[in-house]
Amino acid sequence: MAKGTILSIDAMGGDAAPGVVVDGLAALLADRADISVLLHGNEPVLAPLVAAQKALAGRCQIIHSDTVITSDMKPSQALRRGKGSSMWNAVEAVKNGEAGAAVSAGNTGALMAISMLILRKMEGVHRPAMTALWPTLRGRTVVLDVGANLEADAAQLVTFAIMGEAYARAALGIAKPTIGILNIGSEEMKGHDEVREAHEWLRAAKLDIDYRGFVEGDDISKGAVDVVVTDGFTGNVALKAGEGVARMLGSRMREALTASLMTKIGAALAMAGLKTLRSQMDPSNVNGGVLLGLGGVSVKSHGGTDARGFARACELAADLASSHYRDEILANLARIREGGLAAE
Amino acid sequence: MAKGTILSIDAMGGDAAPGVVVDGLAALLADRADISVLLHGNEPVLAPLVAAQKALAGRCQIIHSDTVITSDMKPSQALRRGKGSSMWNAVEAVKNGEAGAAVSAGNTGALMAISMLILRKMEGVHRPAMTALWPTLRGRTVVLDVGANLEADAAQLVTFAIMGEAYARAALGIAKPTIGILNIGSEEMKGHDEVREAHEWLRAAKLDIDYRGFVEGDDISKGAVDVVVTDGFTGNVALKAGEGVARMLGSRMREALTASLMTKIGAALAMAGLKTLRSQMDPSNVNGGVLLGLGGVSVKSHGGTDARGFARACELAADLASSHYRDEILANLARIREGGLAAE
């Protein structure tokens, strides 16, 4: 195997696995000479797919596994019956130090449960949080938690802020990410107790982070801050509500531009612009959710992604594997404890 | 004054008041012979504006008020100092039976507080809820609560479902609106206690409503159900997050279509389609938030709306004033109590 970053890939997870997975890896490795791959899955199926890709020659080791975590398995079932599956083995390779990060496009709940069991939580983190990269007018914003937990108390929100900050630096390359806590705007009742308390903590604590205060739902797409902190219920609803609006508008736009011969001709002429728009809005450009707060990197690719989207999730995993984000999180968590603000 | 529905209008609230208000009323009354207006505000300012509009002749009575609730006033200040203001008087006319509904584009928190104080809560409703009309692939969906309360227990969510159902029938003309409770999709931890309990109640209760179960954030824009029930924090974040995505996409689309001469020509040819799209997505087409659960109708128009948007909010107010939605709510609340499920 080549030197550099080694990724541990679940080849069998996702709607179009393993084809999309192997295609995505081939595209990625053609670009990135510093990455090599451990590919977990059904060897007889994978071998010809890998052999067909020049870019993978000598840089992709297939590791056979007999079983697969299916998309309808509950997390508890995955924990009981998942040992030896491609997903399990992919995560275990990170634990064993054979790879710097794991990537799977499979069952989200199962990946969270298996990653949590195998990689364990980082010291000082009680509740890992799921991240999303949200496309904005200024680039991308990290939103967390988007569903790893149903609720979050003030101490957990503070931990999310610290984790999201280090993650934004590693994943987006922003030297000093700005942070906001998601709240609603009405006067005189500024948020839940949890949200107000976390706000006071982040203001008082001597952390090396750029906390900007409260933001509202519409500030996310504006890119008002680089990291938006919220509980998993609110974050999940906001993310899916936003995705729903984007899909609805995309569908309305197609209808509008194909309504008549004239609009069709216009749309054809405007195609270059519309293609730019589509690529800006393409979910595969921002693919990759990370469960932060674990003792190793585990990245969830969207199950319905294409090869390019899968490559993006792998690139994100490689960036995280080669960054110091976990040390930065640990340092800020220690500052919190020294400041007497720890509550978890 | 003419017979039919009488609306009580705060002429002084909103970014472009009173011009946009008077223009909106003129457009509305030209269409609707059944509506007449009590117009509350500064008489010397309003008189020439009203006189200039033929459609308002004999159907718009100006009622002078000396003071105005400003947009930066806190709800508590508005309650202390608001008496005699145009907003206060507009709501009081509903209380006194002089009008069927009040409309204001002014300070939201103040309107909520003043409406709550003057109109009081309906019997059986502990927490009124703010509604939004969310544009979907199938039409519009009622979302509530979008910010009147920070939290909601199970009994309140059940009340929101009952109120939203009657409101959807009155506001959208849907004979038998379908209802869902907003939740997140992860298995094995289906939602907060509050959400699960409300779900069980709505399934068990013998209500005359079409409850469909849980929906997720992306189901809102799909129009999966006609009424989406959630707490005020989550609803407010979801609504604003969705608005943010829509604005970002609108801005990206403008950029994309004006990027080159070719795309500009294309956009010009496709203009008919793009105009349809814009009108479908135009917030003024779905303007009007209602605080449900009061002893009278009080409608909030968006502060930045244009005349057409203000007319829409007034039309909504008139529809509500002439409907039986409050009786329907009372009947279902009584069924809940008879079923032994009351908890508020």
Side-chain angles (χ1 to χ4, degrees), chain B residues 20 23-24 27 279 282 284-285 287 305-313:
Chain B
V20 155
D23 289 351
S279 92
D282 187 348
S284 73
N285 271 337
N287 188 34
T305 192
D306 59 11
R308 204 159 56 89
F310 193 79
R312 290 293 165 115

Side-chain angles (χ1 to χ4, degrees), chain A:
Chain A
M1 300 282 288
K3 290 265 170 186
T5 303
I6 301 173
L7 296 179
S8 177
I9 308 291
D10 170 13
M12 311 308 281
D15 303 346
V20 155
V21 170
V22 174
D23 289 350
L25 289 173
L28 177 71
L29 267 59
D31 265 6
R32 296 271 305 247
D34 60 318
I35 298 177
S36 56
V37 169
L38 302 177
L39 192 63
H40 300 269
N42 189 308
E43 216 265 337
V45 174
L46 294 175
L49 293 175
V50 169
Q53 299 281 0
K54 253 193 209 165
L56 298 181
R59 296 164 64 195
C60 177
Q61 182 186 339
I62 300 172
I63 298 166
H64 179 72
S65 47
D66 279 321
T67 59
V68 167
I69 306 275
T70 53
S71 61
D72 57 347
M73 246 184 223
K74 291 188 177 177
S76 56
Q77 295 174 315
L79 288 181
R80 278 197 309 273
R81 312 205 305 242
K83 204 164 181 180
S85 66
S86 56
M87 184 189 282
W88 188 288
N89 291 350
V91 175
E92 210 161 39
V94 175
K95 174 70 178 175
N96 298 340
E98 297 158 22
V103 183
S104 173
N107 183 324
T108 307
L111 181 63
M112 278 172 37
I114 288 173
S115 301
M116 221 137 30
L117 180 78
I118 295 178
L119 300 175
R120 305 272 161 162
K121 288 179 275 192
M122 282 175 64
E123 199 196 324
V125 174
H126 279 230
R127 298 288 190 98
M130 194 72 185
T131 61
L133 294 172
W134 186 299
T136 74
L137 280 173
R138 292 175 54 238
R140 286 175 289 173
T141 283
V142 174
V143 181
L144 81 167
D145 180 18
V146 295
N149 312 278
L150 274 171
E151 286 169 322
D153 63 22
Q156 282 154 12
L157 291 173
V158 169
T159 306
F160 294 173
I162 288 171
M163 296 197 299
E165 200 259 354
Y167 175 69
R169 188 162 34 249
L172 304 178
I174 301 166
K176 199 75 190 169
T178 55
I179 303 159
I181 293 181
L182 195 54
N183 199 353
I184 71 176
S186 87
E187 291 304 319
E188 277 175 76
M189 49 169 214
K190 269 284 184 193
H192 298 286
D193 292 349
E194 294 80 6
V195 154
R196 278 188 286 117
E197 206 183 319
H199 174 74
E200 292 309 324
W201 281 23
L202 286 172
R203 288 206 153 171
K206 291 200 170 45
L207 297 174
D208 188 21
I209 64 174
D210 188 1
Y211 175 64
R212 297 289 177 94
F214 292 131
V215 295
E216 293 191 51
D218 51 342
D219 290 321
I220 309 175
S221 291
K222 286 180 193 162
V225 289
D226 301 311
V227 181
V228 171
V229 173
T230 189
D231 66 272
F233 189 89
T234 309
N236 185 280
V237 166
L239 181 69
K240 293 204 168 167
E243 285 173 355
V245 168
R247 267 202 295 273
M248 176 187 65
L249 290 178
S251 149
R252 290 282 194 209
M253 195 165 115
R254 266 189 302 281
E255 279 170 29
L257 292 179
T258 53
S260 71
L261 183 61
M262 190 69 106
T263 61
K264 279 183 198 164
I265 294 171
L269 290 174
M271 194 48 82
L274 293 174
K275 270 194 182 154
T276 308
L277 178 66
R278 199 188 302 158
S279 94
Q280 283 168 340
M281 292 303 122
D282 186 350
S284 73
N285 272 336
V286 290
N287 187 32
V290 177
L291 192 60
L292 287 180
L294 300 182
V297 181
S298 174
V299 174
K300 170 71 174 76
S301 165
H302 200 288
T305 192
D306 58 12
R308 205 159 58 88
F310 192 79
R312 290 295 166 113
C314 291
E315 208 160 16
L316 174 63
D319 288 345
L320 288 174
S322 61
S323 82
H324 302 288
Y325 83 101
R326 277 187 291 148
D327 297 332
E328 294 165 14
I329 293 172
L330 285 171
N332 268 324
L333 288 176
R335 284 190 191 103
I336 284 274
R337 277 194 299 275
E338 283 158 22
L341 289 170
E344 284 199 297

Side-chain angles (χ1 to χ4, degrees), chain B residues 28-141:
Chain B
L28 176 70
L29 268 60
D31 265 7
R32 296 272 303 245
D34 59 319
I35 299 177
S36 57
V37 169
L38 302 177
L39 192 63
H40 301 269
N42 190 307
E43 214 266 338
V45 173
L46 293 175
L49 293 174
V50 170
Q53 300 280 0
K54 253 193 209 165
L56 298 180
R59 296 164 63 196
C60 175
Q61 181 186 341
I62 300 172
I63 298 166
H64 179 74
S65 47
D66 279 321
T67 59
V68 168
I69 306 275
T70 55
S71 61
D72 57 348
M73 243 183 225
K74 293 188 178 176
S76 56
Q77 294 175 316
L79 288 180
R80 279 197 308 274
R81 313 204 305 243
K83 204 164 182 177
S85 65
S86 56
M87 184 188 283
W88 189 287
N89 290 351
V91 176
E92 209 160 40
V94 175
K95 173 71 179 173
N96 298 341
E98 297 159 22
V103 183
S104 174
N107 184 322
T108 307
L111 182 63
M112 278 171 39
I114 288 173
S115 299
M116 212 124 54
L117 181 79
I118 295 178
L119 299 175
R120 305 272 163 159
K121 288 178 278 192
M122 282 175 64
E123 199 196 325
V125 175
H126 279 229
R127 300 287 191 96
M130 194 73 184
T131 62
L133 293 172
W134 186 299
T136 74
L137 279 174
R138 291 178 52 240
R140 286 175 290 172
T141 283

Side-chain angles (χ1 to χ4, degrees), chain B residues 283-339:
Chain B
S284 73
N285 271 337
V286 289
N287 188 34
V290 177
L291 193 60
L292 286 181
L294 300 182
V297 181
S298 175
V299 174
K300 170 70 173 78
S301 164
H302 200 287
T305 192
D306 59 11
R308 204 159 56 89
F310 193 79
R312 290 293 165 115
C314 292
E315 208 161 14
L316 174 62
D319 287 346
L320 289 175
S322 62
S323 83
H324 302 287
Y325 82 102
R326 276 188 293 147
D327 297 333
E328 293 165 14
I329 292 171
L330 285 171
N332 269 325
L333 288 175
R335 285 190 191 104
I336 283 275
R337 275 194 302 275
E338 284 159 20

